[in-house]
Amino acid sequence: MTASLTPETVALSSPSSKLRIKDILATLPRECFQKDRKKAWATVATSIAMVGLGYWAIAVSPWFLLPVAWAFTGTALTGFFVIAHDCGHRSFAKRKWVNDWVGHIFMAPLIYPFHCWRLLHDKHHNHTNKMDVDNAWQPFRPELYDSMNLGQQVGYRFMRGRFWWIGSILHWALVHFRLENYNPRDHKKVKVSIAVVVAFAAIAFPTLILTTGVWGFVKFWLLPWMVYHFWMSTFTIVHHTLPDIQFREPEEWDEAQAQLFGTVHCEYPGWVEFLCHHINVHIPHHLSTAIPSYNLRMAHESLQQTWGSQLQEHRFSWRLMQQITDICHLYHPDYAYQSFKDHDESK
């Protein structure tokens, strides 16, 4: 295939064909890649307004409406992360310093160090679904799982099962604050980002506790933060995990196949899509991180015209999460995944 590939000729290809990312991108409208300052800052205004509305709701709601207020506020805070996510990919603004400042500001309330996340997240994009290299929801090899102690096995079972929603919290706590996870040349940036969130926590948390008490800290920060991590865990596991999406050994891995056919487009309820700036229109984002979040739907509609039913498209539901958490446990070279039940019975 050549760079002059057209949607009509690509549509005749099958997922087993040899594709190149640049050929797929050539089928997308050029407008998909264009940054729009007004649209970018409109997402900022929207998220600030919605988070503010959420905290107002928490402050005035009677106890029986607090769960609704927490769900709304935590989801709106996920929109903060999506803005920083665009900044991390340099698709928010043309100037690097603007991306860095906005990214730090919007991740600070989430206690997420911006450069730490950005550097590790880039690795996920460069090696999506590549076994032993991808760092996002990679399934453990059975032999690695068997070598773990009981406590580690139980923890892994929880994270890959019905407690998938704690996965993002564990990833945040265990990975992002360790200097050894980063190239020495990036240590200065990493330290700056860690310092930003430590400073935010050192000021905001004591102030919140002194003015509203421990319950105020739980009510206004901890529970919305946990809702945010629920969506982070859910979004990220669904993005690349289904019983028929295969992680590949490095020597067999193909970039275009992984990004186009190993990435899931999932439709969530409209209010979630709105508050989270449509980040779950995820296939075009994995083809090019240069596409801003507000252009993802335009890009996806173009991919639908070209690839149709070959794309992984689903609607969020409890049934979908059951399918993932009941089956997608351990790596299998032929059948994508082996469930814990099948693994235990095979021993």
Side-chain angles (χ1 to χ4, degrees), residues 18 51 64 79 138 173 181 193 211 213 219 224 240 246 304 328 343:
K18 181 64 178 177
V51 168
F64 55 86
Q138 178 184 163
N181 290 333
S193 293
T211 55
K219 176 180 174 180
H240 304 282
Q246 180 78 60
Q304 286 176 315
C328 302
H343 176 68

Side-chain angles (χ1 to χ4, degrees), residues 245-295:
I245 291 183
Q246 180 78 60
F247 269 71
R248 296 290 181 186
E249 299 290 352
E251 63 273 14
E252 300 173 350
W253 184 80
D254 180 271
E255 181 184 18
Q257 298 293 322
Q259 309 296 17
L260 184 60
F261 300 116
T263 303
V264 178
H265 170 89
C266 188
E267 287 286 345
Y268 290 77
W271 67 277
V272 176
E273 296 284 359
F274 171 73
L275 292 175
C276 299
H277 308 301
H278 303 277
I279 192 56
N280 292 294
V281 185
H282 208 62
I283 299 174
H285 174 63
H286 260 266
L287 293 171
S288 175
T289 57
I291 302 174
S293 57
Y294 47 80
N295 287 338

Side-chain angles (χ1 to χ4, degrees), residues 151-314:
Q152 292 170 327
Q153 288 184 350
V154 170
Y156 182 71
R157 281 179 178 263
F158 268 54
M159 193 174 67
R160 300 298 305 208
R162 294 294 191 265
F163 287 84
W164 84 89
W165 47 272
I166 68 172
S168 176
I169 297 176
L170 295 175
H171 186 64
W172 164 80
L174 300 176
V175 175
H176 290 85
F177 295 90
R178 300 175 63 181
L179 279 180
E180 61 266 30
N181 290 333
Y182 307 94
N183 193 303
R185 69 171 181 266
D186 295 318
H187 282 186
K188 183 177 180 180
K189 293 179 180 179
V190 167
K191 290 177 181 178
V192 167
S193 293
I194 293 175
V196 168
V197 298
V198 169
F200 181 92
I203 296 170
F205 290 176
T207 301
L208 192 57
I209 293 171
L210 286 172
T211 55
T212 65
V214 174
W215 169 238
F217 171 78
V218 174
K219 176 180 174 180
F220 286 102
W221 186 82
L222 182 60
L223 291 174
W225 182 80
M226 292 186 69
V227 172
Y228 150 71
H229 272 291
F230 167 84
W231 287 123
M232 281 289 291
S233 299
T234 302
F235 290 171
T236 52
I237 195 171
V238 171
H239 281 164
H240 304 282
T241 308
L242 285 175
D244 59 343
I245 291 183
Q246 180 78 60
F247 269 71
R248 296 290 181 186
E249 299 290 352
E251 63 273 14
E252 300 173 350
W253 184 80
D254 180 271
E255 181 184 18
Q257 298 293 322
Q259 309 296 17
L260 184 60
F261 300 116
T263 303
V264 178
H265 170 89
C266 188
E267 287 286 345
Y268 290 77
W271 67 277
V272 176
E273 296 284 359
F274 171 73
L275 292 175
C276 299
H277 308 301
H278 303 277
I279 192 56
N280 292 294
V281 185
H282 208 62
I283 299 174
H285 174 63
H286 260 266
L287 293 171
S288 175
T289 57
I291 302 174
S293 57
Y294 47 80
N295 287 338
L296 289 174
R297 287 205 177 271
M298 180 199 310
H300 187 74
E301 288 172 4
S302 178
L303 292 173
Q304 286 176 315
Q305 293 173 14
T306 305
W307 300 100
S309 61
Q310 296 179 23
L311 300 176
Q312 290 278 6
E313 297 183 300
H314 297 267

Side-chain angles (χ1 to χ4, degrees), residues 130-145:
K130 184 188 290 185
M131 197 60 194
D132 298 328
V133 184
D134 190 0
N135 57 6
W137 288 103
Q138 178 184 163
F140 283 7
R141 294 180 184 273
E143 54 270 28
L144 173 61
Y145 172 77

